[in-house]
Amino acid sequence: MEKYYNVIGKPRPLIDASIKATGQGMYGADMAIPNMLWGKILRSPYPHAKILNINTDKAKKLRGVKAVITSDDALGAKYGPFPEIKVDKRALTSDKARYIGDEIAAVAAIDEDVAEEALDLIEVDYEILPSVFDPEKAIEPGAPLIHEGSERNISLKYDWHFGDIEKGFSQSDYIREDRFVTQKVTHSPMETSSAIASFDPDGRLTMWICTQDFYFLRRDISAVLGLEESKIRLIKPPCVGGGFGNRAETGEYVLIAPLLARKAGKPVKVSYTREEQTCYSRCRHPMVIELKTGVKKDGTLMAYDARLISNTGGYNTYGVVATYLSGSFLIATYKVPNVRYDGACVYTNTTIGGAMRGHGALQPRFACDSQLDMIAEELGLDPLEIRIKNAYHSGDVSANKFHFQTCGMEECLKQVAEKSHWEKKRGNLPPFRGIGMAGCCFLSGGNINPGITFSPIVKIYYDEAVSLITGATDIGQGCNTTLAAITAEELGVGMEDIRVIAGDTDINPIEPGSYSSRVTVFSGNGAKMAASDAKRQILEVVAEAMEANPEDLVSRDRRIYVKGDPGRGMTFSQAISLCYEKKKLPIIGKGHYVPLVPFPNFLGGEGDLSPAYSFGASVAEVEVDPETGKVKVLNFYMAHDCGFVINPLAVAGQLEGSTHMGLGYALSENIGVDDQTGQIMNTGFLDYKILLAPDMPKVQTIAVETIDPNGPFGAKEAGEGTTISPAPAIANAIYDAIGVRIKELPITPEKILKALEEKGSK
Amino acid sequence: MEKYYNVIGKPRPLIDASIKATGQGMYGADMAIPNMLWGKILRSPYPHAKILNINTDKAKKLRGVKAVITSDDALGAKYGPFPEIKVDKRALTSDKARYIGDEIAAVAAIDEDVAEEALDLIEVDYEILPSVFDPEKAIEPGAPLIHEGSERNISLKYDWHFGDIEKGFSQSDYIREDRFVTQKVTHSPMETSSAIASFDPDGRLTMWICTQDFYFLRRDISAVLGLEESKIRLIKPPCVGGGFGNRAETGEYVLIAPLLARKAGKPVKVSYTREEQTCYSRCRHPMVIELKTGVKKDGTLMAYDARLISNTGGYNTYGVVATYLSGSFLIATYKVPNVRYDGACVYTNTTIGGAMRGHGALQPRFACDSQLDMIAEELGLDPLEIRIKNAYHSGDVSANKFHFQTCGMEECLKQVAEKSHWEKKRGNLPPFRGIGMAGCCFLSGGNINPGITFSPIVKIYYDEAVSLITGATDIGQGCNTTLAAITAEELGVGMEDIRVIAGDTDINPIEPGSYSSRVTVFSGNGAKMAASDAKRQILEVVAEAMEANPEDLVSRDRRIYVKGDPGRGMTFSQAISLCYEKKKLPIIGKGHYVPLVPFPNFLGGEGDLSPAYSFGASVAEVEVDPETGKVKVLNFYMAHDCGFVINPLAVAGQLEGSTHMGLGYALSENIGVDDQTGQIMNTGFLDYKILLAPDMPKVQTIAVETIDPNGPFGAKEAGEGTTISPAPAIANAIYDAIGVRIKELPITPEKILKALEEKGSK
């Protein structure tokens, strides 16, 4: 038997690694086109204010100003991720400002300075309204109402019941209830949000934009500009300085750039400053989670009763999705037969929540996995033991009807415990050092977007180059490399034979895009099928020439030969020459992937959100300085079941990156909002603290391979789900180190010192 | 019956007309990319000189110089249009300089000035050799030998015999022999030749270049750089400032830019100055034609005995093709049963001949159609009469076995005579005014390149936009518009539904390219087939939904309906939605065109050069000023059989453009070469005289429509063949005006005055 796979399963650098490492990559924020103007956005200085009048006369008269727009220029159209559900966002607001930073008007001018100056000349008359920043206060009777028609500022409420919650609690030996709070954090991509829009004289729009999903953006641009989708061409520059969900949504700049370009009759670039990026792009939804849990004496989870309030900020956009996902992920990680989920998406006069890596999962997981340790302690169980006890296994179905066709959760727990020397260290570490554990589960692409994935195409020309044409968008996560590897493996050629053609709506098949970790499974299955279709066409020609059956032929490592008789065959080059001679070129293979699982019941919360689920477990080892409250993460161990590992190097990179993001969420990142004024208090990397390289522990990763029948070659999601477990693992490790339980993120030195003080005074 | 066609057959502007007219087009010469260096070429100051030594040390030391290359950097590889035939050209010469301007070395520097300065610092030791500029002198014994191994400087000689030449002359009533000479002219594109080459860190080369044919360029770049073709990506900027054959060939800049980029490790742009463009890019081959013709009393052509010497300059490149084409087009226009063709491609120490609009056809046509008038006069026949007498008709086969499946020659002659009031004017014009006539024939794509045309692809997504993906290159001639119209008609949608994706070898199917007027027939047939394939897929879905047979359905004007019952059906939009629902998207249609005619015998000159031939006739009306010798073209009439006219506006534009080029060839354009030094005497538009707008007559065009079975919807070539007839028509009109016969182009005032003087002295 030859070795199993030729291309996949081997560590290899991303195909654009050398371009990026040598500084030759073109990023969207660096781009310029001839005759380009600069656009700037006028934002509300008030968190809640009625707009009485906007006077742009002075701004228009400033030399160098080429266009000034207000909401009048935007058709009044509303847009959002699911146009049918609770859409309330406009490119520019007209009636009210709903948060500090709400977009009021915009200017295009010959340079950034003139545009900035013109913003100061726009006169807006506001009637200041009372505002509310805390979601729990926002739902109190009498709170200022942010959107007409919403009751108590609730934009959408989920009320799910799975199993029998009463029975679950009545059968429990132990019940406890805790309240957890998570903060507002932001994506902090190194490249700020940026778009260039240019109309040709025939009214076709071209935009250069680093987006995660052309599909949603084009739909929203079409609605707001009143332009047919086929007249909108979106081009993604080759390099993207980080997505993390921020580029999954239609940020205001995406719409303001073409609105300005249309009015000015010239191309316009809008590029956020770091302040705009930090304060006014999207953030992870802050949530309050009240979790009541019932367990048997042996640790078996019997019931969850969760009340969750998600702060969506001034508008909805992804808020309803986040609250849906939080309910789902509450249930998905450990077996709980009886669940009530009361999840409310609530408006406040703060900046808008959006999709962010591990969307909707980090918040409930912090609650559940923190509380699970507290329960284990009460029951005298080891945190590892209680997690194994409640772990799902392949074939299990969750209360909300997620079908886990493969699940390596128990293996992840066991292996991460072994790797981290859990048993040896647990209880035996020196003072102020502790070890903690948490689990995670995530989806491999959402089954919630339009049911069709447009197919990747594989083309082969006489030069033997194989083109994979895909609508998937590589935003730095490396999907071009993954898809190239899948294509090469299936077709039987090398990585170097594949060129990936992506990033242009005029050229590529439209796909929903790179979000909810869908690309490997969705686009990967499509690419595999397209490669298989292309291979079939080649094998037919070869079979005819060899007087063999196509089914008896194998294509592997640039050779096509009779199965079991490698000597009988020809090279891939010879096969392509043969196709050329027989006038069968170009070979065009089509692929196509639609999950076989039925569409879930969105409002009811039941049914498969994804065709495949990833699982993972992590262990954190920390040291707490009792003098300063500072936490040092000494070691971090991450085991991940991402199905078959297409590229071990890429997966390891993703796990390290997600750990970095998860640890920042646990320990340091926080957008501070003044509770009197609503003002954001940190505006950039000086005061918004993402972890730096010296802050990072060595991250040791373990791949637990399951072979998922729904994934290409058995692959599942990697690198998003692993953002979820660091926060509870850290909280648990800190408790193990110093005996204080922090239930509010981030776990800052201040909170630790305060908790230590309280503990000392008890 | 509904109107015949919906999209084609109607005048419409080119799809990029508004972009160009508003100055928004991006041309290759205007492009820049970050960190780009400028390349400059060191050229030989001597027409013939041995290179003893090249010292680049001083140049390399100049601040700002990043690379200096000589032939050592170019693998010594030779390249040319037909690698198997007489290839003698290198990117940089190593042994000898063979013309003034021959490429010796090149420099890449931070700007053009530094590069220019560095050229002066390169020291070349030459041993000056005797040189020869006149091809007739070059073949004399003892002439300096330019290439080792060529006998008497003849690079290739054709000796064709069709029919029985002896019998032909013996059956003739009248025989005459004349000598004609044609000059060196150049393409004069408004945009000079320009290329940017950039390597990525993995060694893949990307070039931005305004080329007519990716295919040949890539092959030559591959050979010279030793780089696999699949590692070379060529991108054609959206707009091209004129091709006319000049961009069909791999000019030295195409190779020097990547050689410099590789050595410098940075992108390099090489852009010719106007002087380089005029003097050192390619030119139309100057020829000497000695034509002996035998006719019957009634004007029937019986025999041609033609001796042709083509001056290919210092190297071969397209020389062997030009000489082949000249022999073919000698025979193709009028019926001649017995032919001898003795055609020699001859080296001289002058700049290189290349492909140019009407390649190889203008020179023999000037001879034949001039002489035909002389014969007619001797026999007392009207020039129209003798041409009709010898005209081919549909179904005729020429002596060299060209099968003219359609031929509108007689109609062209009759209609152009009628339109120009030939009969009324002939002999009745005021003094010094005259009228003259000539015919032409051209091919619709050469059957001489690799037998496969890679297929255009038609893709349709959910947004209903139809993408035509083609390897054809729009160089301003408007082929994107023509191909879009063909696709729209066949698919049953509107022009506005089609977007043409072209100009990038990574994305597009490779096609030979835009030369020898091949695109309408070759790529057009492919596009039609691809559209038909896509339509079939849509009709199958619609038919199933309507419970009808796909064969009974029609797609037309964005509606699909039952033939003869337009009410029963659905819109194209509805059909696409249906395909979307049935998960049949994207629709991908493949087309493919290979001429059905067998490959010709290249050296023997027999067999079809093309699947379809265009025909035409023109009439010129001139006034000659006997004092100054200046010729004013008063009227010009052009009838053209280009098969079915896809776009009357585009065809008219092409006919006007080709008339402009043909009249410049007749009257004013000439690259002057000093016969002592070989120095080119005109270096730009001040002294190289292309006709200006005020010099142009009104051009009245007539479309003679034949429906050719080999063309898409019956279309054939348009706009190249019509460059052929102006020169003899003008020569004939001048003779009619003043009774002097000029047999050497261009027909300048000096030549006319001299001829008038000689005539007067007789």
Side-chain angles (χ1 to χ4, degrees), chain B residues 148-163:
Chain B
E148 292 301 317
S150 74
E151 207 179 325
R152 292 196 298 134
N153 288 310
I154 295 171
S155 85
L156 191 73
K157 204 172 154 74
Y158 298 95
D159 188 14
W160 298 347
H161 297 260
F162 304 115

Side-chain angles (χ1 to χ4, degrees), chain A residues 503-753:
Chain A
D504 186 334
T505 58
D506 258 17
I507 290 165
N508 301 125
I510 299 298
E511 271 203 20
S514 291
Y515 63 94
S516 54
S517 288
R518 60 177 290 291
V519 172
T520 298
V521 169
F522 282 64
S523 315
N525 271 319
K528 186 167 184 280
M529 197 185 300
S532 174
D533 186 26
K535 182 170 67 176
R536 178 189 53 72
Q537 297 169 46
I538 299 167
L539 295 191
E540 278 170 10
V541 172
V542 173
E544 199 186 321
M546 290 179 59
E547 296 181 355
N549 285 322
E551 308 82 58
D552 297 337
L553 297 179
V554 180
S555 181
R556 189 180 168 79
D557 202 13
R558 294 189 61 84
R559 252 190 87 73
I560 293 168
Y561 55 87
V562 175
K563 224 172 281 179
D565 187 3
R568 241 191 99 203
M570 61 178 76
T571 64
F572 186 76
S573 297
Q574 288 166 332
I576 295 304
S577 296
L578 199 62
C579 292
Y580 178 92
E581 280 163 31
K582 304 276 181 202
K583 306 203 192 305
K584 297 283 188 189
L585 284 187
I587 299 284
I588 300 182
K590 274 171 70 172
H592 194 88
Y593 179 69
V594 183
L596 294 173
V597 294
F599 203 70
N601 167 1
F602 188 70
L603 289 175
E606 200 170 79
D608 271 306
L609 197 53
S610 183
Y613 301 85
S614 71
F615 291 87
S618 62
V619 167
E621 192 180 342
V622 303
E623 183 168 49
V624 183
D625 182 334
E627 296 295 318
T628 62
K630 200 165 155 45
V631 176
K632 186 169 170 56
V633 185
L634 302 171
N635 285 297
F636 202 86
Y637 307 90
M638 174 80 81
H640 195 215
D641 159 23
C642 62
F644 178 81
V645 180
I646 303 274
N647 182 353
L649 191 61
V651 168
Q654 279 294 316
L655 297 197
E656 288 173 24
S658 61
T659 300
H660 169 264
M661 211 164 212
L663 291 178
Y665 189 62
L667 292 167
S668 63
E669 294 187 41
N670 185 26
I671 298 276
V673 178
D674 184 286
D675 58 10
Q676 296 304 309
T677 63
Q679 195 73 46
I680 286 178
M681 293 183 297
N682 35 11
T683 58
F685 289 143
L686 274 178
D687 39 22
Y688 182 78
K689 293 292 187 190
I690 62 171
L691 294 184
L692 305 178
D695 300 325
M696 283 294 289
K698 184 169 160 57
V699 180
Q700 296 184 58
T701 63
I702 304 158
V704 171
E705 282 193 319
T706 57
I707 305 299
D708 198 282
N710 289 303
F713 300 104
K716 303 193 287 193
E717 178 275 329
E720 182 163 7
T722 45
T723 320
I724 300 170
S725 57
I730 290 288
N732 292 339
I734 289 170
Y735 181 83
D736 187 48
I738 55 172
V740 302
R741 172 61 60 183
I742 313 284
K743 299 194 231 173
E744 187 170 338
L745 291 176
I747 308 177
T748 57
E750 292 79 3
K751 287 180 190 158
I752 287 177
L753 288 179

Side-chain angles (χ1 to χ4, degrees), chain A residues 15-20 22-24 26 34-35 198-202 204 215 218-219 229-232 450-455 457 459 461-465 467 469 496-497 499-501 504-510 537 579-581 583-592 594, chain B residues 15-16 18-20 22-24 26 34-35 198-202 204 215 218-219 228-232 265 450-455 457 459 461-465 467 469 496 499-501 504-510 537 579-581 583-592 594:
Chain A
I15 51 181
D16 56 358
S18 56
I19 288 180
K20 285 180 176 165
T22 54
Q24 294 182 58
M26 171 59 86
N35 304 315
S198 175
F199 282 90
D200 73 20
D202 300 321
R204 275 203 88 204
Y215 177 89
R218 219 166 63 140
R219 186 199 53 201
E229 284 191 50
S230 61
K231 295 223 167 96
I232 302 168
I452 189 162
T453 289
F454 292 98
S455 67
I457 296 162
K459 271 197 291 201
Y461 295 136
Y462 77 100
D463 61 4
E464 297 162 39
S467 298
I469 309 177
E496 64 282 4
D497 295 311
R499 51 191 183 201
V500 181
I501 296 171
D504 186 334
T505 58
D506 258 17
I507 290 165
N508 301 125
I510 299 298
Q537 297 169 46
C579 292
Y580 178 92
E581 280 163 31
K583 306 203 192 305
K584 297 283 188 189
L585 284 187
I587 299 284
I588 300 182
K590 274 171 70 172
H592 194 88
V594 183
Chain B
I15 52 181
D16 56 358
S18 57
I19 288 179
K20 284 181 176 166
T22 54
Q24 294 181 58
M26 172 59 86
N35 304 316
S198 175
F199 281 90
D200 72 21
D202 300 321
R204 274 204 88 203
Y215 178 88
R218 219 165 63 141
R219 185 199 56 200
E228 294 157 53
E229 283 192 51
S230 62
K231 296 223 167 96
I232 302 168
I452 189 162
T453 289
F454 292 99
S455 66
I457 296 162
K459 271 197 292 200
Y461 295 136
Y462 77 99
D463 62 3
E464 298 162 38
S467 298
I469 309 178
E496 65 282 5
R499 49 191 185 202
V500 180
I501 296 170
D504 186 334
T505 58
D506 259 17
I507 290 167
N508 300 125
I510 299 296
Q537 297 169 46
C579 293
Y580 177 92
E581 280 163 32
K583 306 203 191 307
K584 298 283 188 189
L585 285 186
I587 299 284
I588 301 182
K590 275 171 69 173
H592 195 87
V594 182

Side-chain angles (χ1 to χ4, degrees), chain A residues 247-269:
Chain A
R247 299 183 203 274
E249 194 171 340
T250 308
E252 288 69 27
Y253 67 104
V254 176
L255 304 164
I256 288 170
L259 286 169
L260 284 170
R262 181 156 69 182
K263 192 140 186 186
K266 283 194 171 188
V268 173
K269 177 173 184 174

